[in-house]
């Protein structure tokens, strides 16, 4: 999924970004799309090119096989439905178009192509390895996109970690995202922060997930906020949902910024140690070949930044 998102990235990375350069933007992640009264399909990434009213639905396959049922549902997706559920603005007079693109690793490429041929489905397949990305199978129906993938595009290795977590990530991954946001809120001398605001500030691309998926993410963020309060009850108070508060809020009981200047550094250090001590261990094994999505240094960097600000480190003349 990060490999696909990198191809759309507005921020320049070491990876090519042909979709972005050709006017495509990501409009949805894990977005459910109804195709019949009782059927739906959930593309991993939805891209849209406003200038020519074109959608691309990306289905990322971690395995080697095509799901026939799912493929037939993709065939039924109506572009007018995409306009409605994604609330995009159609700027051109061109007819609306939608095309499904499968995404796989290079070792699965031939099996994916065989699966598409077996069900008589024509779809471009983006095939990735550590050296390049190439489009195989049916061509993209957008002429400029077809031209961009007429040859393989070199990549420098694994994709950048743009999507850092998802609703199935382990608790400590959410802690590593949420704790720096809490520290930043304390440094801003906020008195409280809602779970919804925590989610928006802590999770990249939160805004383009669908509503139901956002609720799943907020529940995980709420659990992380509760762990923070349990680890340091003198500084944080977690208040669960009441009325229209969604998943609740965190009251900030004490900010290091309100302390005597000589004591701020110690308070930031204490905050860090308590949060780190309250972080749970991973509850599922890690793949040794997969890089960390959200480095464990992020919490420390956030707190160190506030500490340096207090002590004057990094300022001119120090």
């Amino acid at each position: 999924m990060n490999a696909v998102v990198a191809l759309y990235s507005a921020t320049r990375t070491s990876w090519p970004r042909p979709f972005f350069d050709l006017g495509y933007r990501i409009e949805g992640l894990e977005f459910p799309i109804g195709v019949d009264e009782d059927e739906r399909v959930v593309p991993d990434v939805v891209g849209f090119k406003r200038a020519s009213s074109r959608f691309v639905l990306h289905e990322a396959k971690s395995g080697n096989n095509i799901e026939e049922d799912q493929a037939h549902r993709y065939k039924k997706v109506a572009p007018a439905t995409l306009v409605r559920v994604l609330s995009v603005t159609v700027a051109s007079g061109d007819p609306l178009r939608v095309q499904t693109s499968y995404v796989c690793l290079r070792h699965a490429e031939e099996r994916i192509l065989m699966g598409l041929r077996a069900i008589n489905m024509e779809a471009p397949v983006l095939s990735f390895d550590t050296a390049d990305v190439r489009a195989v199978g049916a061509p993209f129906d957008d002429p400029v996109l077809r031209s961009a993938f007429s040859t393989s595009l070199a990549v420098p290795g694994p994709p950048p970690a743009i999507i850092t977590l998802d609703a199935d990530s382990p608790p400590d991954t959410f802690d590593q995202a949420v704790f720096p946001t809490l520290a930043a809120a304390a440094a801003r001398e906020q008195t409280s922060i809602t779970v919804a605001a925590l989610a928006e500030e802590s999770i990249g691309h939160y805004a383009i997930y669908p509503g139901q998926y956002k609720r799943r993410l907020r529940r995980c963020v709420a659990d992380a906020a509760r762990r923070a309060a349990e680890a340091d009850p003198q500084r944080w108070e977690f208040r669960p949902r009441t009325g229209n508060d969604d998943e609740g809020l965190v009251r900030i009981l004490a900010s290091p910024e309100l302390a005597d200047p000589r004591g701020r550094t110690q308070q930031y250090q204490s905050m860090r140690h308590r949060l780190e001590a309250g972080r749970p261990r991973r509850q599922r094994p890690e793949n040794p070949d997969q890089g960390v999505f959200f480095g464990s240094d992020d919490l420390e960097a956030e707190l160190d930044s506030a500490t340096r600000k207090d002590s004057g480190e990094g300022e001119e003349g120090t």
Side-chain angles (χ1 to χ4, degrees):
M1 192 164 175
N2 270 302
V4 178
V5 173
L7 300 180
Y8 283 84
S9 177
T11 302
R12 286 200 175 276
T13 68
S14 55
W15 268 50
R17 52 178 196 173
F19 285 96
F20 179 85
D21 291 338
L22 296 174
Y24 285 86
R25 300 293 182 266
I26 293 178
E27 295 291 344
L29 299 172
E30 304 281 359
F31 219 98
I33 299 163
V35 294
D36 278 326
E37 288 186 5
D38 57 349
E39 288 187 322
R40 69 176 187 174
V41 70
V42 185
D44 294 291
V45 179
V46 180
F48 179 59
K49 183 177 181 178
R50 183 180 179 188
S52 57
S53 303
R54 295 177 183 272
F55 289 97
V56 181
L57 310 180
H58 297 279
E59 174 62 32
K61 308 304 291 186
S62 58
N64 301 328
N65 300 312
I66 293 293
E67 297 175 33
E68 183 174 349
D69 223 31
Q70 181 191 59
H72 287 305
R73 293 197 300 273
Y74 270 117
K75 289 181 180 180
K76 297 178 184 179
V77 174
T81 300
L82 294 172
V83 172
R84 177 174 53 82
V85 299
L86 294 166
S87 300
V88 298
T89 300
V90 179
S92 75
D94 296 329
L96 288 166
R97 297 179 178 88
V98 58
Q99 186 174 34
T100 298
S101 167
Y102 281 83
V103 184
C104 69
L105 297 177
R106 187 63 46 81
H107 69 80
E109 177 186 301
E110 188 52 41
R111 288 289 300 273
I112 296 295
L113 290 173
M114 287 175 57
L116 290 172
R117 288 193 294 268
I119 61 174
N120 196 30
M121 181 176 180
E122 294 187 356
V125 176
L126 292 176
S127 170
F128 292 91
D129 70 8
T130 55
D132 64 33
V133 52
R134 66 189 184 195
V136 295
F140 283 102
D141 58 16
D142 184 346
V144 293
L145 199 54
R146 185 164 61 245
S147 176
F149 283 99
S150 60
T151 59
S152 298
L153 302 179
V155 298
I162 300 172
I163 303 298
T164 59
L165 50 73
D166 59 35
D168 296 315
S169 294
D172 68 328
T173 302
F174 277 92
D175 292 346
Q176 290 174 52
V178 170
F179 290 178
T181 306
L182 286 173
R188 294 194 297 265
E189 301 181 32
Q190 290 182 226
T191 57
S192 66
I193 184 169
T194 66
V195 167
L198 269 177
E200 290 173 3
E201 293 185 33
S202 303
I203 302 174
H205 298 86
Y206 174 84
I208 56 177
Y209 283 109
Q212 186 174 1
Y213 199 85
K214 285 179 179 176
R215 285 192 289 274
R216 290 182 62 195
L217 291 171
R218 289 198 300 272
R219 284 195 291 271
C220 295
V221 168
D223 289 341
R226 185 182 293 107
R227 288 190 291 272
E230 291 170 352
D232 194 353
Q234 300 303 311
R235 194 175 306 281
W236 320 103
E237 178 188 359
F238 178 75
R239 291 190 172 183
R241 175 177 180 172
T242 56
N244 296 323
D245 283 345
D246 201 5
E247 277 77 17
L249 59 81
V250 178
R251 286 191 62 217
I252 301 171
L253 305 178
S255 169
E257 292 299 314
L258 300 179
D260 183 281
R262 293 166 294 180
R264 289 177 188 165
T265 298
Q266 289 81 359
Q267 288 212 23
Y268 278 114
Q269 291 172 342
S270 173
M271 181 194 301
R272 173 198 305 160
H273 294 151
R274 286 179 179 273
L275 290 178
E276 288 178 341
R279 181 183 299 170
R281 296 181 180 272
R282 279 195 180 273
Q283 297 181 358
R284 62 184 181 188
E286 295 186 32
N287 181 347
D289 296 323
Q290 180 176 350
V292 176
F293 274 164
F294 201 87
S296 59
D297 294 335
D298 287 300
L299 171 61
E300 189 165 344
E302 183 72 41
L303 295 173
D304 280 344
S305 174
T307 302
R308 287 194 301 272
K309 175 183 174 184
D310 169 50
S311 62
E313 294 180 25
E315 295 179 1
E316 291 185 4
T318 60

